[in-house]
Amino acid sequence: MDIRSEKVGDVLVVRVSGELDLATAGEFRHRVDADLDRFGSRDVVIDFSELGFLDSSGLGALLGRYRRVAERGGRVAVSGCAPHVRRVLELSGVMRIIACHPSVREAVAAFGGDTSSASGGGVP
Amino acid sequence: MSGRLSPPKGPLNWFRLELPARPENVALVRVAVGSLASHLDFTLGEIEEIRVAVSEAFSNVVLHAYPEEGGAASGGTVTVEARAGGGVLEVSVSDRGVGIADVELARRPSYTTRPDRMGLGFVFMETFMDEVAVTTSPGHGTRVVLRRRLPVRNGAPSDGASGDERAGT
C-alpha cells in the first residue's frame, strides 16, 4: 500500500494505492491521522482509484477516520471506487454515510471546495 | 454442512498451505486462492469476491484464534487448503486456536468482540460465497470451509471465455 496526500483548496486529498486489509489498515490509520493534523484540514477526500483490494479491516480503518473527522466537524468522502471496492462499501452500509464520487475533483466540488478547474458538479 | 471438503468431480487442482497467523500473510493467501480460482472460469468480479471472503476468514484467525500469544507475534499457525474442480472452488481455513464459544452469535452481522472492528467478516463470507461452514471446538480450534460454485453461463458451464467484469455496481 502506498499513500500520497495533498491539499486541494482546504480539503485534504489522500490517494491510496495497493491493498487495504488487516496488514495495511494500521498504517492507513496512522498516515491519514497524521496528515489531517499536518495539513490542518477539516474535510478529507480519500481517493481509491488506485486501490486494488478492500475488505472489512480496511473498512474499519476508513470508518474510524470518518468518526475522527466528524467529531471535529469535518466531512469525509471517497472517490474513484472500482466495482469491487464499491460493492464492499455498499454491503457494509458505509456508503450511507460516506459518499462515493467518480473523481477527486467531483468529491472536492461536492464539499463546495475550489477545484481550480471547470465544472465538477456541486452536488451535495 | 460438514467441515470436510467434498469429493472432487472433474479435473482437480489444489494446494495446501501452512503458515503463521500473521497479518502480512493475508495477502499471500488471497493471491494463492485467487490464482487457483482463475483456473475455473470465474469472472474477475467473482474472483474479487472470493478474495474478500478468504481474506476475512484468514483475518479472523489472526485476530481471534491465538489471543494469548498475541496472534501476530508468535505461535499460531493457519492451514489453508483450496481445491478447484468440477465447477466448484472450496477453501478451508483452519487453526488450532481458542475456538468460538458461540458460532451463531459470532456469525451475526455487526457482532464483534473488538470495539475497533465492524463485525462484517462473516457477512462478507456469506455474501460472497455460496456456502460457509464453521466447525469449532473451544480450546482446540476452528475450521471454516468456503464454497463457491461456478455459475452456468449461456448454457456453457466452463472453459474458454475469459473473465469479463460482471455488470452492475
Side-chain angles (χ1 to χ4, degrees):
Chain A
M1 184 189 62
D2 188 52
I3 293 177
R4 285 164 296 136
S5 298
E6 61 175 322
K7 213 165 170 183
V8 177
D10 291 328
V11 178
L12 173 66
V13 175
V14 180
R15 298 174 200 270
V16 187
S17 58
E19 305 194 314
L20 195 43
D21 64 7
L22 185 63
T24 56
E27 189 195 343
F28 171 80
R29 187 178 299 126
H30 292 133
R31 280 292 306 275
V32 175
D33 286 355
D35 289 341
L36 279 165
D37 293 339
R38 184 159 62 102
F39 288 91
S41 299
R42 277 158 56 100
D43 300 329
V44 56
V45 171
I46 298 176
D47 182 55
F48 282 158
S49 55
E50 300 290 316
L51 189 71
F53 182 83
L54 177 70
D55 66 6
S56 73
S57 297
L59 272 178
L62 176 66
L63 199 65
R65 291 331 88 211
Y66 168 82
R67 291 200 184 106
R68 189 169 184 270
V69 168
E71 271 169 20
R72 300 171 169 195
R75 296 167 293 180
V76 176
V78 295
S79 61
C81 301
H84 59 278
V85 171
R86 176 176 284 271
R87 185 91 199 279
V88 166
L89 289 169
E90 280 173 348
L91 272 172
S92 66
V94 164
M95 280 185 85
R96 289 198 295 268
I97 55 171
I98 302 177
C100 187
H101 299 274
S103 68
V104 167
R105 201 183 53 166
E106 284 160 278
V108 172
F111 282 157
D114 176 17
T115 58
S116 72
S117 58
S119 78
V123 184
Chain B
M1 171 64 215
S2 83
R4 294 279 160 262
L5 297 184
S6 62
K9 288 170 246 143
L12 184 73
N13 197 2
W14 62 274
F15 69 77
R16 179 190 168 98
L17 278 176
E18 192 164 320
L19 65 178
R22 289 187 196 144
E24 62 266 34
N25 283 337
V26 68
L28 192 161
V29 168
R30 133 175 112 239
V31 165
V33 172
S35 178
L36 185 69
S38 71
H39 295 192
L40 297 176
D41 195 23
F42 287 112
T43 64
L44 294 179
E46 287 160 354
I47 289 172
E48 281 304 329
E49 294 178 350
I50 291 163
R51 279 157 46 88
V52 172
V54 168
S55 298
E56 300 296 349
F58 190 90
S59 296
N60 273 348
V61 176
V62 177
L63 288 162
H64 304 295
Y66 302 105
E68 288 92 343
E69 297 108 307
S74 67
T77 62
V78 191
T79 303
V80 180
E81 298 169 271
R83 50 174 72 197
V88 181
L89 177 78
E90 293 177 317
V91 183
S92 159
V93 178
S94 43
D95 65 70
R96 297 178 168 278
V98 296
I100 304 171
D102 186 339
V103 173
E104 199 186 328
L105 181 65
R107 291 178 73 153
R108 201 171 288 170
S110 297
Y111 175 81
T112 179
T113 54
R114 306 190 28 153
D116 57 328
R117 313 270 325 160
M118 297 178 74
L120 287 174
F122 274 114
V123 173
F124 287 161
M125 285 185 248
E126 285 163 3
T127 303
F128 292 147
M129 305 300 283
D130 293 316
E131 287 174 55
V132 179
V134 182
T135 47
T136 185
S137 170
H140 294 94
T142 300
R143 178 182 178 98
V144 173
V145 177
L146 308 169
R147 285 192 190 88
R148 177 93 186 230
R149 281 180 288 279
L150 196 62
V152 177
R153 291 185 233 283
N154 304 324
S158 85
D159 275 331
S162 67
D164 54 315
E165 262 299 342
R166 175 185 278 180
T169 51

